[in-house]
Amino acid sequence: MFPEGYRRIRQSPVLRNLTREVTIDPLKLIQPLFVVEGIPNKEPVPGLTGVYRETPFTLIKQIERDLEKGVKSFLLFGVPASKADRNFDPSFTASQIAAIKKRFGQEVFLAVDVCLCSYTTHGHCGILNDSHDHVMNHETVEALADAALAFARAGADCVAPSDMMDHRIAAIREKLDAHGFHRTLIMSYSAKFHSGFYGPFRAAADSAPKGELKIKDRATYQIDPANPSDAYLSSVRDMDEGADILMVKPGLPYLDVIRDLSDRIPLPWAVYEVSGEYAAVELMAEKGLIDGRRAHLESWTAFFRAGAEMIITYGARHARDWMESK
Ligand code: PBG
């Protein structure tokens, strides 16, 4: 006789729900939002079904719909119309933060991405030296801290630096505290890798390195995919400098890193399911090769299983519908 054993707990949906170790909840998901200055209408983002480059008007409407779907946390990317090489103007993004907070207040948790790649003429995440072969660390960190302060002043609950300069967390914490913003959180993209999966995002945020440049990519500041030790050291450093939440980015190709870092570093961990990995699932689904909903839910389950507390995903706003239709 070979009777049922481990299969006993798998036999009904009720029992499977009851025994499940990992559950997905829209309250554990963060929805990215793009708001673009100077476009007359919202524009779809190629590859990211249901995600738009929003106008200030459509942005508020979208958040209203997202709240109805149970999503309460957002990561805002502001894309200004005019670009610069230094002395960046944070006012467009700041005005959008103020508008969101005026309309929704404490109903939403609003994190704001802090990087310069949508603000620079060349698309790099910082200020270039005169010979245009290096992103200068100190000058960039000062500009990032100024932007973070402007966003905190506008009402952001959290600032999220994604640039990968050294010591930006210390600089931002110091600047926020000096101006009385002791309660503004910092979510650090601490384990952000130099990934080939960021393509659709760069089109949405207008942030791909462009023009005649000696440094063509972000390899001199983002972490090498082959160096998990660098991700560990950078994350410990960011914790020590005052980050409240740490992040691994991208998600699926770095599950080992999520497991390892969340075990070793006792802060809340976010995972960013980035544009390329999200689009990969969407494209397979479009071709009829897989069921996209199942694949997305399975990816999110993997992130929680690996130790994440929260997930940044373009599909946050669909989570509830997808779970119900499963
Ligand atoms: C900006 C930034 C990037 C992403 C988030 N913030 C792109 C990059 O580093 O080139 C990627 C997000 C995604 O692909 O979904 N520095």
Side-chain angles (χ1 to χ4, degrees), residues 32 34 48 75 77 113-118 123-125 160-164 189 192-202 205 207-209 218 221-222 247 249-250 272-278 312 314:
F34 299 102
L48 304 181
L75 176 59
F77 294 89
D113 188 89
V114 179
C115 191
L116 299 173
C117 57
S118 297
H124 272 294
C125 300
S162 66
D163 53 286
M164 295 308 281
Y189 290 67
K192 175 172 175 175
F193 290 89
H194 183 233
S195 171
F197 285 93
Y198 300 150
F201 171 94
R202 291 185 184 167
S207 74
R218 309 207 202 286
Y221 41 103
Q222 298 180 344
M247 191 197 301
K249 175 187 171 186
Y272 201 140
E273 183 189 40
V274 301
S275 56
E277 56 183 309
Y278 191 84
I312 301 161
Y314 297 99

Side-chain angles (χ1 to χ4, degrees), residues 161-174:
S162 66
D163 53 286
M164 295 308 281
M165 299 301 122
D166 278 328
H167 303 301
R168 84 263 212 232
I169 302 302
I172 291 172
R173 187 72 271 160
E174 200 175 294

Side-chain angles (χ1 to χ4, degrees), residues 22-31 69-74 109 187 268-272 300 303-304 307-313 316 319 323:
V22 168
T23 48
I24 296 169
D25 180 339
L27 293 175
K28 303 291 269 176
L29 306 178
I30 300 174
Q31 175 70 52
K69 296 289 183 186
V71 175
K72 293 179 185 289
S73 300
F74 298 89
F109 174 73
M187 173 163 68
W269 278 93
V271 173
Y272 201 140
W300 299 344
F303 301 145
F304 288 130
E309 270 75 34
M310 66 198 91
I311 301 169
I312 301 161
T313 171
M323 286 187 299

